[in-house]
């Protein structure tokens, strides 16, 4: 994505080695979220009247930036990291989750090992679209294709030109080849129509 500057750190850790029960505490640098907002505005999304949900808000690094453009941002996380704007502790994957009404966009950087589950849940709940920041390799492989992309192709995949550097809980850093994966309903509905009718 162009037109947005970032910290040009020489970080080299390419592969995260998180324990399997980790909450994946990797806040997103603000410039990476601003790049998505610039794209959505370019696509004429009326963000100033739309409501967004950041369901893995962590320390609020993404939610705060979403608040620069969206009319309202509902920020939740399964763990409380002290973000003052957090609406509450919510396990986004709870089967009986009662979501807020009128959520237009769900936008997040999901925990790495739960990416597909987060996306499937978000696709059920958002009224306009879903955007998730994932590793560029997220799209690859037969299993991923069958569990997610075959029936729900992304509307856009927006790879970053620069690597996205994230700091785990403020200490270890990861430098990722990352992509915004984005689903937006008009195209999704057309695709579903084509399959079923
Ligand atoms: C990569 S961090 C998200 C960073 C944040 N989205 C940002 O961009 O700054 C992943 C977050 O997912 C949260 N998380 C893990 N499992 C979750 C669940 N089941 N429901 C909600 N949040 C969860 C973790 O607590 C962690 O804050």
């Amino acid at each position: 994505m162009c037109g947005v500057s970032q910290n040009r750190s020489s970080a080299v850790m390419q592969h995260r080695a998180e324990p399997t029960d980790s909450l994946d505490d990797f806040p997103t640098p603000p410039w990476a979220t601003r790049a998505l907002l610039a794209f959505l505005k370019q696509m004429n999304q009326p963000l100033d009247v739309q409501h967004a949900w950041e369901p893995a808000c962590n320390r609020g690094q993404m939610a705060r930036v979403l608040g620069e453009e969206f009319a309202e941002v509902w920020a939740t996380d399964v763990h409380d990291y002290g973000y003052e704007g957090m609406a509450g502790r919510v396990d986004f994957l709870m089967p009986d989750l009662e979501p807020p009404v009128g959520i237009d966009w769900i936008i997040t950087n999901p925990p790495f090992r739960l990416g597909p589950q987060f996306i499937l849940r978000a696709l059920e709940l958002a009224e306009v679209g879903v955007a998730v920041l994932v590793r560029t390799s997220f799209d690859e492989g037969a299993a991923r294709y069958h569990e997610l992309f075959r029936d729900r192709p992304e509307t856009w995949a927006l790879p970053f030109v620069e690597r996205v550097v994230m700091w785990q809980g403020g200490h270890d850093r990861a430098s990722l080849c990352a992509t915004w994966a984005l689903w937006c309903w008009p195209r999704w509905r057309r695709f579903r129509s084509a399959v079923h009718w």
Side-chain angles (χ1 to χ4, degrees):
M1 302 180 79
C2 56
V4 185
S5 63
Q6 68 144 316
N7 173 3
R8 290 177 175 275
S9 161
S10 58
V12 290
M13 192 198 328
Q14 188 167 0
H15 300 289
R16 296 184 202 168
E18 284 285 281
T20 51
D21 62 349
S22 161
L23 289 174
D24 210 18
D25 176 13
F26 281 90
T28 304
W31 71 268
T33 304
R34 291 201 180 101
L36 171 72
L37 294 174
F39 178 80
L40 293 178
K41 287 198 289 184
Q42 208 178 311
M43 294 292 108
N44 296 318
Q45 283 294 321
L47 306 185
D48 58 339
V49 296
Q50 290 180 334
H51 294 196
W53 183 3
E54 214 292 36
C57 69
N58 196 267
R59 294 172 179 79
Q61 279 201 216
M62 184 176 285
R64 276 191 206 93
V65 177
L66 296 176
E68 295 170 3
E69 299 290 346
F70 278 98
E72 194 176 1
V73 178
W74 207 62
T76 59
D77 198 293
V78 74
H79 180 73
D80 184 355
Y81 296 86
Y83 171 43
E84 66 287 353
M86 189 165 97
R89 284 179 60 174
V90 175
D91 182 343
F92 190 59
L93 303 179
M94 282 277 285
D96 56 353
L97 177 66
E98 287 186 20
V101 290
I103 293 295
D104 299 300
W105 283 91
I106 294 181
I107 299 175
T108 193
N109 165 11
F112 175 64
R113 71 192 167 87
L114 297 174
Q117 294 93 318
F118 258 67
I119 291 167
L120 290 170
R121 173 50 62 88
L123 290 172
E124 290 169 10
L125 301 178
E127 293 182 7
V128 174
V130 169
V132 290
L133 183 66
V134 291
R135 294 182 196 197
T136 300
S137 60
F138 182 84
D139 281 19
E140 296 171 0
R144 191 54 48 81
Y145 172 74
H146 288 291
E147 76 184 328
L148 192 58
F149 292 111
R150 181 187 58 196
D151 298 334
R152 305 164 200 83
E154 297 150 305
T155 316
W156 290 286
L158 308 169
F160 285 90
V161 175
E162 308 283 350
R163 282 172 164 259
V164 178
V165 177
M166 300 183 185
W167 288 83
Q168 182 185 27
H171 40 91
D172 292 331
R173 64 187 180 182
S175 167
L176 307 178
C177 291
T179 298
W180 275 108
L182 211 150
W183 289 257
C184 201
W185 295 166
R187 172 168 168 195
W188 159 239
R189 289 205 173 115
R190 276 204 299 280
F191 176 81
R192 296 281 295 189
S193 299
V195 169
H196 292 295
W197 296 343

